[in-house]
Amino acid sequence: MEEPSIGWVGLGNAGYPMAACLAKKGHRLLVRDADPARGIEFVEEYAKSRIATSDPDSFQNCNIVITMLPNGKVVNDVLLGSVIVDTGSSSPFDTRALGLELTRLRVDLVDSPITQEQLHAIDQGGATLMVGADSAEALEKVMPILKDMSTHVFPMGGLGAGHTMKTLNNYVSVGSIIALNDALVTGQKLGLDPQTMIDVMNVGTGVNFSTKYSQKNLKSYDTGYQLELLVKDVKIARDVIEKSGFQTELPALAERYLEESLKVVEKGADHAESLKSWEQRADVEIKKTEKNEGRRNSGGS
């Protein structure tokens, strides 16, 4: 008897490689994406997988459905008594509200958003998952699957705790992005070479995800993470922090700076392109670093 398929909704930049991690471990996937070509590409690459039809009963044999869950519409396709795992970036408050709605339909919700410790780690199964669940039974059911698709799995607490952690993780990352942009344009105005600044930070206390990956080679703009999504994450972070009762001015300032950046880039621009609005404000132009230039180091003692 064949094992039940795992339903997978969403084969985007993160969804495709993470679904592939399960397929490589031998899991049978039933996949669906808004772009039919993505589903076709996936099943051609992973022969045990199948494309879910638009039929309302297409996920009826799936005990677990993993999705970015842009809305609750997929619930109508899911077998009662199953578990939905939301791996997208969402407000923890929205997650809890959706969980309550699904409970009435006898469907358990687990939030398990993703992050990564290095660029493109997701592609090699190196994702970090932050997991929230109210149902111990649902958590036990999905944990083996989550461990098959990622290197690091952290149970954070009840439903919404995963999205809370994801939000605060992204908030810290945003702070480093803004500080780096400030530093690069200031350094150039004062005669420093921006790429050498990056090289110094990467062997000093200023090291962060942006210096190591997103902006390691200045203006490569190839992280795969859109500026629009970063702005969305900042808005969620501001809401979470405000509703916690803590007062700080940084979230509103970060939101304003990044929304200004959206005005000077094309739609779908990489988040690292936020640097362009800093260049405008500082009236400087930072030189693009070619990837084959490599890291410059004095080599001295």
Side-chain angles (χ1 to χ4, degrees):
M1 183 178 182
E2 288 188 325
E3 64 175 289
S5 295
I6 297 171
W8 192 286
V9 181
L11 295 170
N13 288 339
Y16 193 106
M18 293 195 70
C21 289
L22 291 181
K24 291 173 183 176
K25 292 289 182 69
H27 293 285
R28 296 172 58 246
L29 300 183
L30 190 63
V31 301
R32 177 184 291 172
D33 190 83
D35 179 3
R38 296 289 284 176
I40 293 171
E41 179 184 354
F42 192 88
V43 299
E44 287 179 348
E45 186 171 358
Y46 300 102
K48 290 178 67 175
S49 299
R50 297 289 181 269
I51 297 177
T53 68
S54 58
D55 190 297
D57 297 329
S58 58
F59 288 112
Q60 286 292 299
N61 292 323
C62 298
N63 293 325
I64 297 173
V65 176
I66 301 173
T67 174
M68 295 298 179
L69 209 62
N71 54 59
K73 186 177 179 181
V74 70
V75 174
N76 297 325
D77 299 345
V78 177
L79 178 67
L80 297 182
S82 62
V83 180
I84 292 178
V85 181
D86 177 10
T87 62
S89 294
S90 303
S91 162
F93 306 111
D94 291 345
T95 299
R96 290 171 191 162
L98 180 59
L100 182 61
E101 178 185 341
L102 297 184
T103 298
R104 299 190 184 104
L105 300 172
R106 289 183 290 147
V107 174
D108 288 312
L109 178 63
V110 173
D111 57 310
S112 182
I114 63 176
T115 187
Q116 55 186 350
E117 60 181 326
Q118 62 188 37
L119 194 63
H120 305 309
I122 291 172
D123 299 347
Q124 288 81 44
T128 297
L129 301 181
M130 303 147 279
V131 188
D134 284 340
S135 168
E137 182 180 349
L139 182 60
E140 182 180 3
K141 189 175 185 178
V142 303
M143 280 299 283
I145 305 299
L146 298 181
K147 289 180 178 180
D148 273 351
M149 61 192 254
S150 62
T151 302
H152 310 290
V153 181
F154 292 92
M156 300 303 302
L159 184 64
H163 280 139
T164 299
M165 183 65 240
K166 166 73 170 180
T167 296
L168 296 177
N169 176 79
N170 286 1
Y171 174 62
V172 172
S173 180
V174 164
S176 67
I177 292 167
I178 289 174
L180 179 60
N181 286 347
D182 284 350
L184 290 173
V185 297
T186 300
Q188 177 154 316
K189 287 175 76 69
L190 295 176
L192 300 182
D193 175 66
Q195 183 59 52
T196 303
M197 292 175 65
I198 295 285
D199 296 340
V200 170
M201 292 179 197
N202 279 336
V203 289
T205 56
V207 64
N208 57 71
F209 192 90
S210 292
T211 63
K212 287 186 71 176
Y213 303 109
S214 307
Q215 290 278 48
K216 181 179 180 180
N217 294 291
L218 284 166
K219 296 188 171 181
S220 56
Y221 302 149
D222 59 355
T223 70
Y225 185 59
Q226 295 179 5
L227 179 58
E228 293 171 17
L229 297 179
L230 187 66
V231 172
K232 182 197 78 169
D233 287 341
V234 171
K235 291 178 183 292
I236 294 174
R238 181 179 179 182
D239 184 55
V240 166
I241 292 171
E242 288 178 352
K243 287 180 178 176
S244 78
F246 180 66
Q247 296 184 356
T248 174
E249 298 179 7
L250 184 55
L253 184 62
E255 183 179 332
R256 177 164 65 84
Y257 280 164
L258 294 176
E259 284 194 324
E260 287 175 359
S261 296
L262 280 176
K263 298 175 183 177
V264 301
V265 300
E266 295 182 1
K267 186 174 178 59
D270 189 276
H271 80 275
E273 292 188 59
S274 61
L275 180 62
K276 292 178 179 179
S277 68
W278 267 258
E279 289 178 303
Q280 283 191 0
R281 286 193 284 129
D283 193 25
V284 300
E285 183 176 353
I286 291 176
K287 178 186 174 185
K288 175 181 172 65
T289 303
E290 299 302 328
K291 290 187 177 182
N292 59 4
E293 286 186 27
R295 175 176 171 266
R296 293 187 287 273
N297 191 313
S298 67
S301 57

